[in-house]
């Protein structure tokens, strides 16, 4: 196949990230990357930098909404000196129960993905908006939906089936799992020696963890939505369902409209909880580490809870895998927060996980376990855009 420029679009609740790759004959070269951050604010950030890190665009425009944000990206793509994209890959967090395979985007597919937007309410609404705009603005280019849920298609039924009445199962309520493109990129980077028993902890603003046997996912902490699993930046993670019933009843006292009360509950569990809720300070690990250094007890508790939860999850996955060969940390916290890695692993010696403090202290170190640690512990950055390009190239060839 000749070399093709492939554009990757990756949208979140307040940002659109994008990158352009030249892809062909097994080679993948990034030509540029960029982002519009701060959607919904007067002081957004719009930047593009080339493969050498040189800033081609560096602006602070007002970005009141997603339409202004995507127009910035589309105008830049139409006017820049780089080749026009021949295909576009859209990071798609969740396609619901019916859209399970990476595939070419059609208007009908967008409608289908949109009908399950409640499963990923922070991501899907902006993603489907961008899909429609991309089809409109680049009508001659094939667009592909690349799913985070795809990597989790190998979960066994015992993991996907939730213990609820079957009428809800029939509505698509099940474990889907998220961060799949990140997990897939870790397995990809470990090839050809993918360990048989692998745990990957994707610790970013959203945090999850997966158990992977022979390269295939067998369990993952997030379930129906990215709210479940590990406590993360501003989300609860798993919690006694009775807590949600309690909060909902309290909300209903002042908000009789059920839909409005449910929305308030959603804000509580997705935006006001997690590290932010416990610390009453920030969802950002850097702020929390600073506060801990200054003696802030709530910040200490929030981070303790984060590390404690992850250590417990690692323990259960070691049981599920019946052993462990490798533990990988990835995501903004996993890659950068030395103290979190040390605190998570500090009580896991009995599972064969022994860190080397010196190696762990070196930013960018690949292996951070001790020489004699039965389990290898590694830090690997995710290559999500590259993975999306790979899927697009494969789908173009089909
Ligand atoms: P992500 O969602 O993967 O971009 O990760 C965001 C999280 O990574 C935030 O909680 C950040 O505080 C954390 N993070 C990023 N850089 C650092 C750093 N140098 N040290 C500690 N935490 C970091």
């Amino acid at each position: 196949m000749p070399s093709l420029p492939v554009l990757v679009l990756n949208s979140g609740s307040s940002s659109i990230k994008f990158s352009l790759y030249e892809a062909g004959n097994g080679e993948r070269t990034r030509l540029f990357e960029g982002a519009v951050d701060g959607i919904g604010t007067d002081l957004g950030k719009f930047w593009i930098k080339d493969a050498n890190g040189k800033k081609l665009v560096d602006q602070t425009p007002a970005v009141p909404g997603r339409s202004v944000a995507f127009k910035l990206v589309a105008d830049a793509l139409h006017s820049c000196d780089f080749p026009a994209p021949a295909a576009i890959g859209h990071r798609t967090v969740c396609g619901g129960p019916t859209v399970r395979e990476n595939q070419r985007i059609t208007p009908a597919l967008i409608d289908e993905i949109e009908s399950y937007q409640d499963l990923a309410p922070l991501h899907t609404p902006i993603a489907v908006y961008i899909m429609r705009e991309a089809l409109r603005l680049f009508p001659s280019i094939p667009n592909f939906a690349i799913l985070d849920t795809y990597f989790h298609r190998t979960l066994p039924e015992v993991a996907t089936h939730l213990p609820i009445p079957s009428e809800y199962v029939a509505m698509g309520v099940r474990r889907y799992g998220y961060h799949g493109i990140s997990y897939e990129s870790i397995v990809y980077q470990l090839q050809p020696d993918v360990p048989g028993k692998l745990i990957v902890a994707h610790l970013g603003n959203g945090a999850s963890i997966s158990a992977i046997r022979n390269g295939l996912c067998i369990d993952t902490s997030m379930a129906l939505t990215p709210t479940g699993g590990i406590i993360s930046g501003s989300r609860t993670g798993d919690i006694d369902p009775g807590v949600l019933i309690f909060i909902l009843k309290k909300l209903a006292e002042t908000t009789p409209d059920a839909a409005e009360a449910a929305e308030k509950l959603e804000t509580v569990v997705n935006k006001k909880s997690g590290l932010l809720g416990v610390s009453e300070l920030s969802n950002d690990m850097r702020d929390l580490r600073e506060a801990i250094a200054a003696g802030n007890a709530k910040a200490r508790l929030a981070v303790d809870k984060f590390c404690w939860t992850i250590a417990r999850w690692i323990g259960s996955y070691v049981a599920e895998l019946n052993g462990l060969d490798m533990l990988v940390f990835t995501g903004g916290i996993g890659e950068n927060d030395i103290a979190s890695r040390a605190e998570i692993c500090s009580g896991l010696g009995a599972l064969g996980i022994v860190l080397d403090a010196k190696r762990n202290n070196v930013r960018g170190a690949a292996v951070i376990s001790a020489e004699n640690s039965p389990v290898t512990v590694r830090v690997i950055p995710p290559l999500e855009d590259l993975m999306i390009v790979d899927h697009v190239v494969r789908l173009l060839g089909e």
Side-chain angles (χ1 to χ4, degrees), residues 202-206 283-287 331-333 336-337 363:
H202 178 110
L203 310 180
N205 198 29
N283 62 340
D284 190 308
M285 185 56 86
R286 284 165 292 200
D287 298 339
I333 298 172
N336 297 300
D337 197 49
R363 208 167 287 279

Side-chain angles (χ1 to χ4, degrees), residues 133-266:
E133 282 297 283
L135 290 194
R136 189 175 69 79
L137 294 170
F138 303 94
S140 55
I141 301 173
N143 282 255
F144 296 93
I146 309 302
L147 296 155
D148 266 303
T149 45
Y150 178 73
F151 181 69
H152 303 299
R153 70 196 180 285
T154 52
L155 289 174
E157 194 179 3
V158 71
T160 59
H161 195 104
L162 299 178
I164 47 167
S166 56
E167 62 191 282
Y168 298 105
V169 175
M171 291 176 196
V173 178
R174 47 164 279 162
R175 182 184 306 276
Y176 291 99
Y178 295 92
H179 291 138
I181 301 170
S182 164
Y183 290 124
E184 212 181 341
S185 83
I186 302 299
V187 172
Y188 175 91
Q189 291 177 76
L190 289 170
Q191 281 168 357
D193 298 313
V194 182
K197 297 173 181 181
L198 170 68
I199 294 177
V200 181
H202 178 110
L203 310 180
N205 198 29
S208 72
I209 184 162
S210 285
I212 299 165
R213 181 179 286 133
N214 299 325
L216 304 179
C217 190
I218 62 159
D219 202 358
T220 191
S221 59
M222 285 176 174
L224 176 71
T225 70
T227 310
I230 292 168
I231 159 176
S232 50
S234 61
R235 305 178 209 149
T236 54
D238 281 6
I239 194 161
D240 169 5
V243 174
L244 305 183
I245 296 165
F246 176 88
I247 296 174
L248 193 57
K249 283 184 173 168
K250 282 281 156 208
L251 288 169
E253 287 171 11
T254 50
T255 314
D257 181 72
E260 217 180 299
E263 234 166 72
K264 283 189 177 172
L265 178 62
E266 189 176 314

